[in-house]
Amino acid sequence: MESQKSINLLLSETERLKTFESWPNEVDDNCTPEKLAQAGFYFLPCEESPDNVCCIFCGKELDGWAPDDDPLEEHRKHSKACPFLAMPQPFAIEKLTIKQFVEFMKSVTCLAVENQFNKKTKEFQEYADSVEKALRKHVLG
Ligand SMILES: [Zn+2]
């Protein structure tokens, strides 16, 4: 994602809400674009998941929303390490002190680095496994 857009989504619930323009689900009591944006999500649909959303703070993606789902509750259920969820809710980034803001951004960045590291580790392991398999096939016939 373009970094300026990513920063805007991180800093502003209003910017996250704007991404839900083509949200496919009917507006309902609980699972509304407003509540999804308030819970840290932005809209990130793909062909297999037309109602996919992603948390800008932890990178967790969720789809298959039911009308009575509570976005914040679902977020808590599926992402224990999200720094956004560790903050008092409803969360307002503009109300943080500079110190709280720096600490919060440090947590968000550390989690992003950890997620990226785990993803790369997994990719490397898959590649190493495929090389091992090819070598075994070559050596053992
Ligand atoms: Zn999250």
Side-chain angles (χ1 to χ4, degrees):
M1 186 189 300
E2 183 199 328
S3 67
Q4 186 56 50
K5 188 182 175 199
S6 177
I7 291 168
N8 291 344
L9 292 174
L10 197 65
L11 298 180
S12 166
E13 189 180 311
T14 310
E15 289 300 315
R16 291 196 297 277
L17 184 57
K18 283 183 194 167
T19 65
F20 286 92
E21 248 175 28
S22 58
W23 177 246
N25 294 6
E26 284 180 32
V27 174
D28 203 275
D29 292 348
N30 246 344
C31 196
T32 61
E34 287 76 13
K35 285 196 176 181
L36 287 157
Q38 200 173 55
F41 296 115
Y42 64 96
F43 189 36
L44 186 63
C46 57
E47 212 169 295
E48 318 82 67
S49 307
D51 67 345
N52 192 54
V53 301
C54 182
C55 172
I56 191 66
F57 303 97
C58 68
K60 182 70 187 176
E61 293 187 26
L62 294 174
D63 65 354
W65 293 93
D68 60 343
D69 279 341
D70 179 344
L72 194 59
E73 199 179 294
E74 291 301 316
H75 196 173
R76 282 192 202 287
K77 245 189 260 177
H78 297 278
S79 184
K80 307 279 181 234
C82 181
F84 170 79
L85 297 173
M87 303 302 281
Q89 301 292 334
F91 179 69
I93 206 162
E94 63 276 7
K95 293 202 173 139
L96 299 179
T97 63
I98 301 267
K99 188 175 182 221
Q100 288 170 325
F101 178 77
V102 169
E103 284 299 317
F104 177 67
M105 292 309 290
K106 193 171 98 183
S107 303
V108 170
T109 307
C110 283
L111 186 61
V113 169
E114 194 181 314
N115 287 345
Q116 193 64 19
F117 177 79
N118 290 339
K119 187 180 160 200
K120 290 290 172 194
T121 303
K122 192 175 167 226
E123 282 173 13
F124 178 77
Q125 191 57 56
E126 284 166 5
Y127 176 69
D129 291 346
S130 72
V131 169
E132 184 185 352
K133 198 173 162 190
L135 279 173
R136 282 185 189 278
K137 194 175 169 189
H138 181 72
V139 172
L140 303 173

